[in-house]
Amino acid sequence: MDPIEFIQESARSITNTMHKLKLKYNPFSEKPIRGNTKFFVGRVSELREIGEILGSAMHGSVANAAIVGTKGIGKSSMLNIIYYATKKQGHWVVELTASQITPRQFLIQLLYNILTENLFTINGTIKSDYLEYSSKIIDMYKKLNNYGDKVPIHYPRERIERDLEFLINEVKDRNKLCIILIDEADQFAKKSCLSLLQFFHSFLYEEGILTFLAGSPTLMEDLTKISPPIKDRIPKIINMPPLSTEESYDLIRRRLEDAHIEGAEEFEPFTREAIDKIVELCDGIPRKIIMTCSESISIAIKKNLNKIDEKIVSEAIHSLGISIGHQILNHLTPAQSEIVKAMAKLGGSTTVTQLSEYLKKSPGTIGTHLSDIYEMGYIYKERKGNNVYYRLSRELIDVLLGDKNELEM
Ligand SMILES: Nc1ncnc2c1ncn2[C@@H]1O[C@H](COP(=O)(O)OP(=O)(O)OP(=O)(O)O)[C@@H](O)[C@H]1O
Ligand SMILES: [Mg+2]
């Protein structure tokens, strides 16, 4: 057989299958929302609260906020909506991800993004509003632009802090806010970030700066453990609950509608029972819903089906591994999940000492986390001779030590 023909034939057959499913494309690929609000559902009270925070900040009463919720609940999407909403109002706004960067890199990125996202036009020239400061701005920009992970730049930290303050206090229009959006802020709840948090204590209190952090449900507790005063600086907590049943249906309906070929019915190619099952099993977590729908469609394409029933949904859920073990993992805080993963790496049953050596954390810290996880029933305790061993529950062993396990992801 001709390999070229073969590829073409296979591609054509996918087109045919998609047609049978009444879809132009798989509408559940996880593309970031990025300013596209077509598929955004619910969150009315959270959006209202954000609007109120913004309005108050514009009138001089700044209350920074933490947007918290479990994995895949929609925190990053919310930050993204704030980004576009505030940009449209002419405020300065920067979006940063805290994970995987050091405090120094963070400050550098903060300064760099404030400059590039707000003071320059798309063509790379300084916006006319800021021309009077151009030499200083260009000087900062040049220094930062040479910055790479490997090449350290000569930009002492105090200098960065002073330049940030200069931008906010001198260059920025008094009537505008500088909105700082920090995603995955759990990263800052580490001892090594203490100095950064301390810098934020004063910085977050400058007039005209409004900060939104996004992170896990325990974000504020974790930050407060490292630096107690941070709590006063971030007085608002916006808790993201799961989507309601109605909103879950709505999410699926809107995405399907967009991808339907003419004449398709509301939830086609899914049967009503299949949709009910997805909504029921995904607990209102948008990412879970999207992934389950997407996987179901992929399976239907592979099997050349024209409809997706409950059986296909079960298969999708199974192949995605949205098992009890995964649900437990999603439920754990980052610190707790680090511990259960370390337990898996050490064979599934360990002592506090072994874990504390492996993770290079104090036995006290490890012990506290272990007892929290134990209280929730996800690990067992056993005495062997003089030692107490903690052992992973069946569900966690399945997900962490199974064939396709989380540790490699
Ligand atoms: N209100 C919403 N309406 C429709 N889709 C949403 C909504 N919120 C989130 N989503 C979708 O759900 C998925 C997960 O959202 P997002 O990445 O914002 O979650 P997250 O809370 O930031 O997750 P993580 O904990 O992994 O950072 C994305 O595909 C996003 O488009
Ligand atoms: Mg996110």
Side-chain angles (χ1 to χ4, degrees):
M1 164 215 338
D2 177 15
I4 296 172
E5 281 271 312
F6 183 71
I7 286 184
Q8 287 178 326
E9 181 51 38
S10 306
R12 262 197 300 275
S13 88
I14 298 280
T15 309
N16 288 337
T17 320
M18 285 305 277
H19 201 82
K20 264 166 66 182
L21 292 170
K22 306 219 171 148
L23 293 173
K24 289 182 272 195
Y25 64 96
N26 182 344
F28 297 101
S29 59
E30 197 180 327
K31 281 177 251 145
I33 287 189
R34 295 237 62 98
N36 175 3
T37 50
K38 195 159 61 172
F39 302 138
F40 193 83
V41 302
R43 302 296 183 216
V44 179
S45 61
E46 291 80 8
L47 292 170
R48 185 179 301 123
E49 194 170 352
I50 289 166
E52 284 164 9
I53 291 173
L54 188 64
S56 311
M58 284 162 69
H59 294 93
S61 106
V62 170
N64 300 304
I67 297 173
V68 300
T70 54
K71 279 190 188 174
I73 198 82
K75 302 174 294 288
S76 303
S77 308
M78 199 57 119
L79 284 187
N80 197 245
I81 289 195
I82 302 176
Y83 181 90
Y84 284 97
T86 53
K87 190 128 199 148
K88 224 173 177 171
Q89 286 188 309
H91 298 296
W92 281 7
V93 43
V94 279
E95 223 178 349
L96 296 149
T97 303
S99 59
Q100 315 304 339
I101 55 175
T102 64
R104 181 176 155 78
Q105 285 170 328
F106 181 82
L107 283 180
I108 287 176
Q109 256 183 41
L110 178 62
L111 184 57
Y112 184 77
N113 289 10
I114 287 182
L115 283 175
T116 52
E117 289 181 38
N118 303 287
L119 280 69
F120 286 86
T121 65
I122 314 172
N123 307 328
T125 54
I126 294 188
K127 287 188 183 163
S128 55
D129 300 1
Y130 311 119
L131 279 179
E132 57 177 308
Y133 304 102
S134 58
S135 67
K136 211 161 166 185
I137 292 173
I138 288 176
D139 191 41
M140 281 183 215
Y141 175 78
K142 273 197 186 141
K143 259 196 217 157
L144 293 163
N145 209 30
N146 289 333
Y147 171 73
D149 284 338
K150 299 266 151 34
V151 212
I153 46 169
H154 185 69
Y155 210 147
R157 179 164 171 159
E158 306 79 69
R159 188 63 208 275
I160 299 175
E161 293 178 9
R162 238 185 306 134
D163 286 345
L164 270 170
E165 290 191 11
F166 165 75
L167 288 179
I168 310 264
N169 294 328
E170 309 280 327
V171 180
K172 185 176 64 60
D173 179 342
R174 293 247 162 251
N175 300 317
K176 301 284 178 205
L177 294 167
C178 176
I179 292 160
I180 303 175
L181 308 172
I182 306 174
D183 204 359
E184 294 172 24
D186 292 277
Q187 182 75 6
F188 291 158
K190 295 194 306 196
K191 287 235 168 62
S192 59
C193 290
L194 179 61
S195 66
L196 185 70
L197 289 180
Q198 282 167 343
F199 161 68
F200 269 136
H201 295 162
S202 55
F203 187 68
L204 290 188
Y205 240 39
E206 300 251 344
E207 224 175 293
I209 299 180
L210 176 62
T211 307
F212 290 91
L213 302 179
S216 74
T218 56
L219 174 67
M220 286 315 296
E221 280 105 304
D222 297 342
L223 289 176
T224 313
K225 267 183 210 149
I226 301 296
S227 167
I230 198 89
K231 211 170 194 147
D232 304 332
R233 299 299 196 232
I234 306 170
K236 300 268 182 199
I237 297 187
I238 299 172
N239 204 343
M240 304 270 287
L243 297 179
S244 70
T245 308
E246 214 24 74
E247 288 161 354
S248 301
Y249 282 105
D250 201 24
L251 185 158
I252 302 174
R253 188 185 296 116
R254 286 210 214 170
R255 290 210 176 216
L256 281 173
E257 239 166 42
D258 194 67
H260 273 155
I261 58 174
E262 238 176 71
E265 309 252 326
E266 193 176 24
F267 285 118
E268 270 191 296
F270 291 87
T271 65
R272 180 68 200 202
E273 293 73 27
I275 293 288
D276 292 344
K277 183 162 188 155
I278 293 171
V279 169
E280 186 195 326
L281 292 179
C282 292
D283 306 317
I285 314 251
R287 180 177 295 131
K288 261 200 209 175
I289 298 173
I290 290 170
M291 285 175 65
T292 308
C293 290
S294 176
E295 184 64 19
S296 302
I297 292 177
S298 302
I299 294 174
I301 292 171
K302 258 185 234 135
K303 297 192 168 177
N304 197 10
L305 305 173
N306 61 2
K307 73 174 171 47
I308 297 170
D309 59 15
E310 290 162 276
K311 260 180 43 213
I312 300 297
V313 171
S314 298
E315 216 178 304
I317 287 177
H318 185 79
S319 84
L320 284 173
I322 306 181
S323 60
I324 298 170
H326 280 86
Q327 290 180 18
I328 295 175
L329 277 187
N330 281 335
H331 190 76
L332 298 177
T333 66
Q336 291 168 344
S337 106
E338 186 187 20
I339 288 190
V340 297
K341 284 179 183 170
M343 286 175 73
K345 290 233 171 82
L346 293 169
S349 175
T350 63
T351 62
V352 173
T353 320
Q354 286 169 341
L355 272 175
S356 119
E357 278 162 11
Y358 183 79
L359 289 171
K360 303 195 172 50
K361 291 205 169 117
S362 79
T365 312
I366 300 284
T368 315
H369 287 309
L370 281 172
S371 68
D372 290 345
I373 307 170
Y374 172 75
E375 285 300 321
M376 295 187 280
Y378 303 149
I379 54 177
Y380 306 116
K381 232 194 275 197
E382 293 162 334
R383 183 172 281 283
K384 286 185 200 160
N386 281 334
N387 294 319
V388 173
Y389 279 80
Y390 288 88
R391 184 164 54 80
L392 293 173
S393 65
R394 175 84 261 143
E395 291 79 13
L396 281 177
I397 289 178
D398 282 350
V399 46
L400 293 171
L401 291 170
D403 317 333
K404 256 179 84 180
N405 70 54
E406 281 268 331
L407 295 176
E408 284 152 23
M409 284 165 53

